[in-house]
Amino acid sequence: DAGITQSPRHKVTETGTPVTLRCHQTENHRYMYWYRQDPGHGLRLIHYSYGVKDTDKGEVSDGYSVSRSKTEDFLLTLESATSSQTSVYFCAISVGPGLAGGIDYNEQFFGPGTRLTVL
Amino acid sequence: SQQGEEDPQALSIQEGENATMNCSYKTSINNLQWYRQNSGRGLVHLILIRSNEREKHSGRLRVTLDTSKKSSSLLITASRAADTASYFCATFNNNDMRFGAGTRLTVKP
């Protein structure tokens, strides 16, 4: 999985509790992403980061916050988990947009996923 | 909202046959990418085709892109049981990546 780990891999929590998911990379890639995957929806981008302390919202950012204090770590926090946030969460990394030497660096590498259940 | 939509949603073929999956999208793109996901695993990048390219090959994979029709196709030739997985197209435009809901491919031995 291209030097990407996610923790925890599984979590069950209750509505209203805060939850933090961690993504760790050893590739030193600049861009990191958090997605959620739900049946019938494919993957939807929650937030992404384009550098330390630089983050931006994705398509489904409501109810989520992120932080990136080091290149290798990207944290996703659910401030007060709801049942609608039950999902599988994937972290991804990429070198970053752009072309160099004929190589397109937009491809993303994904972690193994975290299955989150909010009761 | 999804950008890419794959067709068909599910495909079942015999080993050795070719598998073709289609992706349609709505807005302009910088590139289009195809990913594979085995059950319970993360996505694996297969191939990227840029908006100014029409066809690309990688091993048994062939991808075409028609920007005038806003569509792409992924062809897997001489399929194997190990190709059983879900396949997703993803459109990329100005750091906005949008995935389709995927095609579930089953290759029977």
Side-chain angles (χ1 to χ4, degrees):
Chain A
D1 290 319
I4 309 167
T5 57
Q6 293 185 229
S7 59
R9 293 293 313 279
H10 302 270
K11 185 169 183 67
V12 179
T13 190
E14 294 188 349
T15 298
T17 60
V19 175
T20 295
L21 308 182
R22 180 182 183 237
C23 176
H24 178 78
Q25 61 148 328
T26 57
E27 305 297 321
N28 201 35
H29 284 357
R30 181 182 170 198
Y31 280 72
M32 299 185 76
Y33 308 82
W34 276 109
Y35 293 90
R36 60 178 289 173
Q37 184 176 33
D38 304 289
H41 287 278
L43 273 76
R44 291 180 291 174
L45 181 65
I46 304 171
H47 283 277
Y48 69 96
S49 169
Y50 47 96
V52 173
K53 291 189 169 62
D54 292 322
T55 64
D56 206 348
K57 294 179 180 180
E59 182 186 355
V60 290
S61 59
D62 287 348
Y64 302 94
S65 62
V66 290
S67 66
R68 191 169 178 199
S69 58
K70 298 185 289 185
T71 298
E72 58 265 36
D73 290 325
F74 192 33
L75 304 180
L76 176 71
T77 298
L78 291 65
E79 301 291 346
S80 177
T82 67
S83 58
S84 64
Q85 293 174 312
T86 292
S87 187
V88 180
Y89 291 85
F90 287 97
C91 173
I93 64 174
S94 72
V95 173
L99 299 169
I103 299 173
D104 196 314
Y105 289 108
N106 289 298
E107 65 179 84
Q108 297 186 6
F109 301 93
F110 283 79
T114 294
R115 183 173 294 277
L116 175 67
T117 302
V118 183
L119 302 175
Chain B
S1 61
Q2 289 167 217
Q3 162 74 305
E5 292 187 8
E6 289 92 343
D7 170 58
Q9 291 185 342
L11 180 61
S12 181
I13 60 175
Q14 294 293 134
E15 208 165 27
E17 294 180 340
N18 296 341
T20 299
M21 287 159 269
N22 303 296
C23 172
S24 59
Y25 58 93
K26 299 184 178 111
T27 63
S28 61
I29 61 172
N30 298 134
N31 64 66
L32 186 143
Q33 305 177 34
W34 285 91
Y35 289 81
R36 183 187 73 229
Q37 184 180 34
N38 290 91
S39 183
R41 305 290 297 273
L43 277 72
V44 174
H45 183 269
L46 294 175
I47 197 165
L48 180 154
I49 186 165
R50 298 201 292 269
S51 60
N52 62 352
E53 298 175 316
R54 293 296 166 258
E55 188 170 314
K56 207 160 181 181
H57 296 256
S58 177
R60 293 184 295 112
L61 305 180
R62 172 179 169 252
V63 169
T64 61
L65 179 65
D66 187 335
T67 53
S68 67
K69 295 181 180 178
K70 292 187 169 58
S71 67
S72 173
S73 67
L74 170 68
L75 169 66
I76 304 174
T77 60
S79 63
R80 306 166 182 168
D83 294 327
T84 293
S86 292
Y87 292 82
F88 296 87
C89 69
T91 55
F92 187 92
N93 185 36
N94 297 328
N95 212 33
D96 182 12
M97 186 95 123
R98 299 286 177 111
F99 286 82
T103 292
R104 176 69 191 168
L105 174 66
T106 302
V107 181
K108 300 175 185 175

